[in-house]
Amino acid sequence: MKIYKSLLFFMLISTLNVCAQKSDSTIFKREFWMGFQTISPLGDFAKKSEITLGVGIDLGFSFTPFKKNDNIQTGIDFSIGYFGMVKDSLFKTNNNLYTINLITRVKGPSQGRIMTYMDVLIGTKVFIIATHYNNNLFNFLNENADYSTLKSRTSSLFSYGLGVGFKIIPKNKNSDGMFDFRCLFLKSGPMIYDTPYYTEKWVNHTNLIMPQISYTQVISRKKK
């Protein structure tokens, strides 16, 4: 964690220097991305939830709100995470996480085809467990599968955090897509966590580390 905080401090100092530089005020940029992520609970949350790793998808968009500064962007980030399930011959219970955050993004220093950035995020985490019938192939083929939700629990709480990442600028200057590598640290306070067995556990925090890889599509146009 100390290394992560040092990296964030370095990115903050670097981005402040970039913001002071002259930017291209003739281009308005919008970026859309979608990709894959892993989710790792930290500390007390990892211990109490007994979750080692989750997987999911992340998507979002950002745009440049200031006509004279393309180094700052704002937008929305949304992700879906899956922590697995518990099941028997009759029922199955899925364990999911949804996050939605407002983003302020500041460009960092660039080197060659590598463009760095830092995100400040604020939003919410939503934990959902839901129980369904454990339908099998026989149920599906006989068209008698029942996908009704039999029981569920939802918990949500305020969340905030930081992210650092870099994009690989394509060799072809006419290309408007690039790969994006980012790691988020999302912090939130205490909550009563419902396990997939519908037992309640008090956790002191629900902090998460979320490494991500995405494909970003850039849309640019002249500013008026």
Side-chain angles (χ1 to χ4, degrees):
M1 186 59 66
K2 290 183 178 179
I3 296 176
Y4 187 79
K5 290 181 178 179
S6 298
L7 179 59
L8 291 177
F9 178 76
F10 171 76
M11 287 290 296
L12 179 60
I13 296 301
S14 300
T15 50
L16 288 176
N17 291 331
V18 171
C19 286
Q21 299 174 2
K22 183 179 179 180
S23 63
D24 183 359
S25 61
T26 64
I27 301 297
F28 179 86
K29 292 183 178 180
R30 288 170 292 178
E31 298 183 1
F32 300 85
W33 64 85
M34 181 173 183
F36 172 80
Q37 67 178 358
T38 59
I39 309 168
S40 297
L42 300 175
D44 188 52
F45 184 38
K47 180 179 179 180
K48 298 289 182 61
S49 68
E50 299 181 353
I51 297 173
T52 304
L53 188 69
V55 297
I57 60 172
D58 179 79
L59 62 154
F61 74 92
S62 64
F63 63 95
T64 53
F66 305 114
K67 290 184 177 181
K68 294 185 178 181
N69 193 338
D70 291 320
N71 293 318
I72 299 177
Q73 295 178 322
T74 188
I76 295 177
D77 184 88
F78 176 75
S79 75
I80 302 172
Y82 177 67
F83 290 132
M85 73 170 69
V86 294
K87 64 180 181 178
D88 55 29
S89 59
L90 296 177
F91 308 106
K92 62 181 180 181
T93 301
N94 293 307
N95 188 3
N96 297 313
L97 165 70
Y98 299 85
T99 69
I100 183 168
N101 291 282
L102 297 176
I103 294 177
T104 297
R105 174 170 293 178
V106 185
K107 290 182 183 178
S110 299
Q111 182 66 39
R113 294 173 56 207
I114 303 298
M115 181 173 62
T116 60
Y117 63 87
M118 181 177 71
D119 289 339
V120 179
L121 304 98
I122 182 170
T124 185
K125 295 173 183 167
V126 182
F127 296 90
I128 299 177
I129 54 174
T131 300
H132 307 270
Y133 288 110
N134 189 13
N135 299 298
N136 54 37
L137 182 60
F138 180 79
N139 299 130
F140 177 77
L141 294 175
N142 284 274
E143 299 182 350
N144 63 351
D146 188 342
Y147 299 102
S148 303
T149 299
L150 304 175
K151 187 178 182 181
S152 67
R153 293 274 182 86
T154 300
S155 302
S156 61
L157 70 168
F158 173 75
S159 178
Y160 61 95
L162 293 172
V164 290
F166 66 91
K167 302 172 186 176
I168 301 178
I169 302 172
K171 292 181 179 180
N172 184 357
K173 294 183 179 181
N174 295 323
S175 176
D176 53 8
M178 52 189 160
F179 285 101
D180 189 342
F181 299 85
R182 181 174 66 161
C183 185
L184 301 182
F185 170 64
L186 293 182
K187 184 177 178 62
S188 49
M191 70 175 293
I192 297 175
Y193 174 72
D194 293 295
T195 74
Y197 299 97
Y198 292 93
T199 57
E200 297 181 345
K201 293 186 178 182
W202 176 261
V203 294
N204 295 322
H205 58 75
T206 53
N207 300 342
L208 301 171
I209 287 284
M210 302 166 65
Q212 302 169 337
I213 177 171
S214 304
Y215 182 79
T216 298
Q217 184 74 24
V218 181
I219 299 175
S220 301
R221 66 176 175 83
K222 292 285 184 178
K223 291 180 179 177
K224 298 181 179 180

PDB file of all heavy atoms in Angstrom, residues 62-80:
ATOM      1  N   SER A  62     -15.780   9.662 -20.853  1.00  0.00           N
ATOM      2  CA  SER A  62     -15.283  10.929 -20.333  1.00  0.00           C
ATOM      3  C   SER A  62     -15.246  11.941 -21.467  1.00  0.00           C
ATOM      4  O   SER A  62     -15.242  11.580 -22.650  1.00  0.00           O
ATOM      5  CB  SER A  62     -13.887  10.767 -19.713  1.00  0.00           C
ATOM      6  OG  SER A  62     -12.948  10.380 -20.692  1.00  0.00           O
ATOM      7  N   PHE A  63     -15.230  13.216 -21.106  1.00  0.00           N
ATOM      8  CA  PHE A  63     -15.158  14.284 -22.103  1.00  0.00           C
ATOM      9  C   PHE A  63     -14.400  15.463 -21.512  1.00  0.00           C
ATOM     10  O   PHE A  63     -14.179  15.545 -20.297  1.00  0.00           O
ATOM     11  CB  PHE A  63     -16.566  14.726 -22.543  1.00  0.00           C
ATOM     12  CG  PHE A  63     -17.394  15.320 -21.430  1.00  0.00           C
ATOM     13  CD1 PHE A  63     -17.434  16.695 -21.238  1.00  0.00           C
ATOM     14  CD2 PHE A  63     -18.136  14.508 -20.577  1.00  0.00           C
ATOM     15  CE1 PHE A  63     -18.192  17.249 -20.217  1.00  0.00           C
ATOM     16  CE2 PHE A  63     -18.893  15.053 -19.554  1.00  0.00           C
ATOM     17  CZ  PHE A  63     -18.924  16.423 -19.372  1.00  0.00           C
ATOM     18  N   THR A  64     -13.972  16.361 -22.377  1.00  0.00           N
ATOM     19  CA  THR A  64     -13.231  17.541 -21.941  1.00  0.00           C
ATOM     20  C   THR A  64     -14.210  18.692 -21.729  1.00  0.00           C
ATOM     21  O   THR A  64     -14.797  19.192 -22.687  1.00  0.00           O
ATOM     22  CB  THR A  64     -12.181  17.947 -22.986  1.00  0.00           C
ATOM     23  OG1 THR A  64     -12.839  18.089 -24.254  1.00  0.00           O
ATOM     24  CG2 THR A  64     -11.103  16.889 -23.125  1.00  0.00           C
ATOM     25  N   PRO A  65     -14.400  19.136 -20.479  1.00  0.00           N
ATOM     26  CA  PRO A  65     -15.401  20.172 -20.209  1.00  0.00           C
ATOM     27  C   PRO A  65     -14.913  21.602 -20.462  1.00  0.00           C
ATOM     28  O   PRO A  65     -15.728  22.520 -20.557  1.00  0.00           O
ATOM     29  CB  PRO A  65     -15.704  19.967 -18.720  1.00  0.00           C
ATOM     30  CG  PRO A  65     -14.440  19.415 -18.162  1.00  0.00           C
ATOM     31  CD  PRO A  65     -13.814  18.588 -19.252  1.00  0.00           C
ATOM     32  N   PHE A  66     -13.593  21.784 -20.539  1.00  0.00           N
ATOM     33  CA  PHE A  66     -13.048  23.136 -20.681  1.00  0.00           C
ATOM     34  C   PHE A  66     -12.500  23.344 -22.087  1.00  0.00           C
ATOM     35  O   PHE A  66     -11.717  22.544 -22.580  1.00  0.00           O
ATOM     36  CB  PHE A  66     -11.937  23.377 -19.654  1.00  0.00           C
ATOM     37  CG  PHE A  66     -12.382  23.123 -18.242  1.00  0.00           C
ATOM     38  CD1 PHE A  66     -11.837  22.062 -17.512  1.00  0.00           C
ATOM     39  CD2 PHE A  66     -13.345  23.915 -17.646  1.00  0.00           C
ATOM     40  CE1 PHE A  66     -12.244  21.811 -16.222  1.00  0.00           C
ATOM     41  CE2 PHE A  66     -13.753  23.665 -16.344  1.00  0.00           C
ATOM     42  CZ  PHE A  66     -13.206  22.609 -15.625  1.00  0.00           C
ATOM     43  N   LYS A  67     -12.900  24.426 -22.722  1.00  0.00           N
ATOM     44  CA  LYS A  67     -12.497  24.686 -24.097  1.00  0.00           C
ATOM     45  C   LYS A  67     -10.997  24.913 -24.231  1.00  0.00           C
ATOM     46  O   LYS A  67     -10.414  24.649 -25.269  1.00  0.00           O
ATOM     47  CB  LYS A  67     -13.255  25.895 -24.647  1.00  0.00           C
ATOM     48  CG  LYS A  67     -14.735  25.643 -24.878  1.00  0.00           C
ATOM     49  CD  LYS A  67     -15.402  26.843 -25.520  1.00  0.00           C
ATOM     50  CE  LYS A  67     -16.878  26.554 -25.811  1.00  0.00           C
ATOM     51  NZ  LYS A  67     -17.539  27.712 -26.459  1.00  0.00           N
ATOM     52  N   LYS A  68     -10.364  25.424 -23.195  1.00  0.00           N
ATOM     53  CA  LYS A  68      -8.957  25.798 -23.310  1.00  0.00           C
ATOM     54  C   LYS A  68      -8.030  24.855 -22.554  1.00  0.00           C
ATOM     55  O   LYS A  68      -6.868  25.163 -22.359  1.00  0.00           O
ATOM     56  CB  LYS A  68      -8.768  27.231 -22.807  1.00  0.00           C
ATOM     57  CG  LYS A  68      -9.468  28.269 -23.666  1.00  0.00           C
ATOM     58  CD  LYS A  68      -9.151  29.676 -23.195  1.00  0.00           C
ATOM     59  CE  LYS A  68      -9.830  30.709 -24.095  1.00  0.00           C
ATOM     60  NZ  LYS A  68      -9.516  32.100 -23.678  1.00  0.00           N
ATOM     61  N   ASN A  69      -8.539  23.704 -22.144  1.00  0.00           N
ATOM     62  CA  ASN A  69      -7.675  22.767 -21.432  1.00  0.00           C
ATOM     63  C   ASN A  69      -8.141  21.337 -21.692  1.00  0.00           C
ATOM     64  O   ASN A  69      -9.166  20.897 -21.165  1.00  0.00           O
ATOM     65  CB  ASN A  69      -7.695  23.050 -19.922  1.00  0.00           C
ATOM     66  CG  ASN A  69      -6.579  22.314 -19.195  1.00  0.00           C
ATOM     67  OD1 ASN A  69      -6.045  21.320 -19.668  1.00  0.00           O
ATOM     68  ND2 ASN A  69      -6.223  22.815 -18.027  1.00  0.00           N
ATOM     69  N   ASP A  70      -7.392  20.609 -22.507  1.00  0.00           N
ATOM     70  CA  ASP A  70      -7.697  19.215 -22.818  1.00  0.00           C
ATOM     71  C   ASP A  70      -7.034  18.252 -21.842  1.00  0.00           C
ATOM     72  O   ASP A  70      -7.153  17.036 -21.995  1.00  0.00           O
ATOM     73  CB  ASP A  70      -7.255  18.872 -24.239  1.00  0.00           C
ATOM     74  CG  ASP A  70      -8.108  19.579 -25.271  1.00  0.00           C
ATOM     75  OD1 ASP A  70      -9.329  19.668 -25.055  1.00  0.00           O
ATOM     76  OD2 ASP A  70      -7.562  20.055 -26.279  1.00  0.00           O
ATOM     77  N   ASN A  71      -6.313  18.779 -20.855  1.00  0.00           N
ATOM     78  CA  ASN A  71      -5.626  17.911 -19.904  1.00  0.00           C
ATOM     79  C   ASN A  71      -6.556  17.420 -18.797  1.00  0.00           C
ATOM     80  O   ASN A  71      -6.192  16.533 -18.034  1.00  0.00           O
ATOM     81  CB  ASN A  71      -4.444  18.647 -19.277  1.00  0.00           C
ATOM     82  CG  ASN A  71      -3.359  18.943 -20.289  1.00  0.00           C
ATOM     83  OD1 ASN A  71      -3.040  18.101 -21.110  1.00  0.00           O
ATOM     84  ND2 ASN A  71      -2.804  20.148 -20.254  1.00  0.00           N
ATOM     85  N   ILE A  72      -7.734  17.979 -18.685  1.00  0.00           N
ATOM     86  CA  ILE A  72      -8.691  17.592 -17.652  1.00  0.00           C
ATOM     87  C   ILE A  72      -9.955  17.062 -18.319  1.00  0.00           C
ATOM     88  O   ILE A  72     -10.476  17.666 -19.251  1.00  0.00           O
ATOM     89  CB  ILE A  72      -9.035  18.780 -16.734  1.00  0.00           C
ATOM     90  CG1 ILE A  72      -7.773  19.274 -16.017  1.00  0.00           C
ATOM     91  CG2 ILE A  72     -10.103  18.372 -15.711  1.00  0.00           C
ATOM     92  CD1 ILE A  72      -8.011  20.491 -15.156  1.00  0.00           C
ATOM     93  N   GLN A  73     -10.428  15.918 -17.827  1.00  0.00           N
ATOM     94  CA  GLN A  73     -11.658  15.323 -18.326  1.00  0.00           C
ATOM     95  C   GLN A  73     -12.575  14.980 -17.155  1.00  0.00           C
ATOM     96  O   GLN A  73     -12.124  14.850 -16.009  1.00  0.00           O
ATOM     97  CB  GLN A  73     -11.368  14.048 -19.123  1.00  0.00           C
ATOM     98  CG  GLN A  73     -10.576  14.256 -20.399  1.00  0.00           C
ATOM     99  CD  GLN A  73     -10.295  12.950 -21.111  1.00  0.00           C
ATOM    100  OE1 GLN A  73     -10.029  11.922 -20.489  1.00  0.00           O
ATOM    101  NE2 GLN A  73     -10.364  12.968 -22.426  1.00  0.00           N
ATOM    102  N   THR A  74     -13.844  14.832 -17.441  1.00  0.00           N
ATOM    103  CA  THR A  74     -14.805  14.366 -16.440  1.00  0.00           C
ATOM    104  C   THR A  74     -15.719  13.342 -17.097  1.00  0.00           C
ATOM    105  O   THR A  74     -15.844  13.309 -18.324  1.00  0.00           O
ATOM    106  CB  THR A  74     -15.624  15.539 -15.868  1.00  0.00           C
ATOM    107  OG1 THR A  74     -16.414  15.071 -14.768  1.00  0.00           O
ATOM    108  CG2 THR A  74     -16.526  16.153 -16.934  1.00  0.00           C
ATOM    109  N   GLY A  75     -16.353  12.500 -16.282  1.00  0.00           N
ATOM    110  CA  GLY A  75     -17.201  11.469 -16.869  1.00  0.00           C
ATOM    111  C   GLY A  75     -17.786  10.541 -15.827  1.00  0.00           C
ATOM    112  O   GLY A  75     -17.836  10.865 -14.631  1.00  0.00           O
ATOM    113  N   ILE A  76     -18.246   9.380 -16.279  1.00  0.00           N
ATOM    114  CA  ILE A  76     -18.891   8.377 -15.430  1.00  0.00           C
ATOM    115  C   ILE A  76     -18.265   7.014 -15.692  1.00  0.00           C
ATOM    116  O   ILE A  76     -17.986   6.664 -16.840  1.00  0.00           O
ATOM    117  CB  ILE A  76     -20.405   8.313 -15.693  1.00  0.00           C
ATOM    118  CG1 ILE A  76     -21.084   9.633 -15.289  1.00  0.00           C
ATOM    119  CG2 ILE A  76     -21.050   7.164 -14.923  1.00  0.00           C
ATOM    120  CD1 ILE A  76     -22.572   9.674 -15.584  1.00  0.00           C
ATOM    121  N   ASP A  77     -18.066   6.250 -14.633  1.00  0.00           N
ATOM    122  CA  ASP A  77     -17.514   4.895 -14.730  1.00  0.00           C
ATOM    123  C   ASP A  77     -18.481   3.931 -14.053  1.00  0.00           C
ATOM    124  O   ASP A  77     -18.969   4.193 -12.944  1.00  0.00           O
ATOM    125  CB  ASP A  77     -16.142   4.834 -14.058  1.00  0.00           C
ATOM    126  CG  ASP A  77     -15.487   3.474 -14.228  1.00  0.00           C
ATOM    127  OD1 ASP A  77     -14.806   3.283 -15.243  1.00  0.00           O
ATOM    128  OD2 ASP A  77     -15.643   2.620 -13.327  1.00  0.00           O
ATOM    129  N   PHE A  78     -18.781   2.810 -14.721  1.00  0.00           N
ATOM    130  CA  PHE A  78     -19.713   1.812 -14.198  1.00  0.00           C
ATOM    131  C   PHE A  78     -19.082   0.432 -14.322  1.00  0.00           C
ATOM    132  O   PHE A  78     -18.478   0.113 -15.346  1.00  0.00           O
ATOM    133  CB  PHE A  78     -21.036   1.849 -14.975  1.00  0.00           C
ATOM    134  CG  PHE A  78     -22.012   0.789 -14.576  1.00  0.00           C
ATOM    135  CD1 PHE A  78     -22.717   0.876 -13.391  1.00  0.00           C
ATOM    136  CD2 PHE A  78     -22.219  -0.320 -15.388  1.00  0.00           C
ATOM    137  CE1 PHE A  78     -23.621  -0.108 -13.019  1.00  0.00           C
ATOM    138  CE2 PHE A  78     -23.116  -1.313 -15.036  1.00  0.00           C
ATOM    139  CZ  PHE A  78     -23.814  -1.202 -13.842  1.00  0.00           C
ATOM    140  N   SER A  79     -19.210  -0.375 -13.283  1.00  0.00           N
ATOM    141  CA  SER A  79     -18.632  -1.718 -13.351  1.00  0.00           C
ATOM    142  C   SER A  79     -19.556  -2.746 -12.712  1.00  0.00           C
ATOM    143  O   SER A  79     -20.364  -2.431 -11.836  1.00  0.00           O
ATOM    144  CB  SER A  79     -17.259  -1.765 -12.670  1.00  0.00           C
ATOM    145  OG  SER A  79     -17.384  -1.754 -11.260  1.00  0.00           O
ATOM    146  N   ILE A  80     -19.412  -3.978 -13.192  1.00  0.00           N
ATOM    147  CA  ILE A  80     -20.139  -5.129 -12.661  1.00  0.00           C
ATOM    148  C   ILE A  80     -19.116  -6.176 -12.242  1.00  0.00           C
ATOM    149  O   ILE A  80     -18.243  -6.545 -13.037  1.00  0.00           O
ATOM    150  CB  ILE A  80     -21.088  -5.734 -13.703  1.00  0.00           C
ATOM    151  CG1 ILE A  80     -22.099  -4.681 -14.190  1.00  0.00           C
ATOM    152  CG2 ILE A  80     -21.826  -6.946 -13.143  1.00  0.00           C
ATOM    153  CD1 ILE A  80     -22.941  -5.152 -15.354  1.00  0.00           C
TER     154      ILE A  80
END
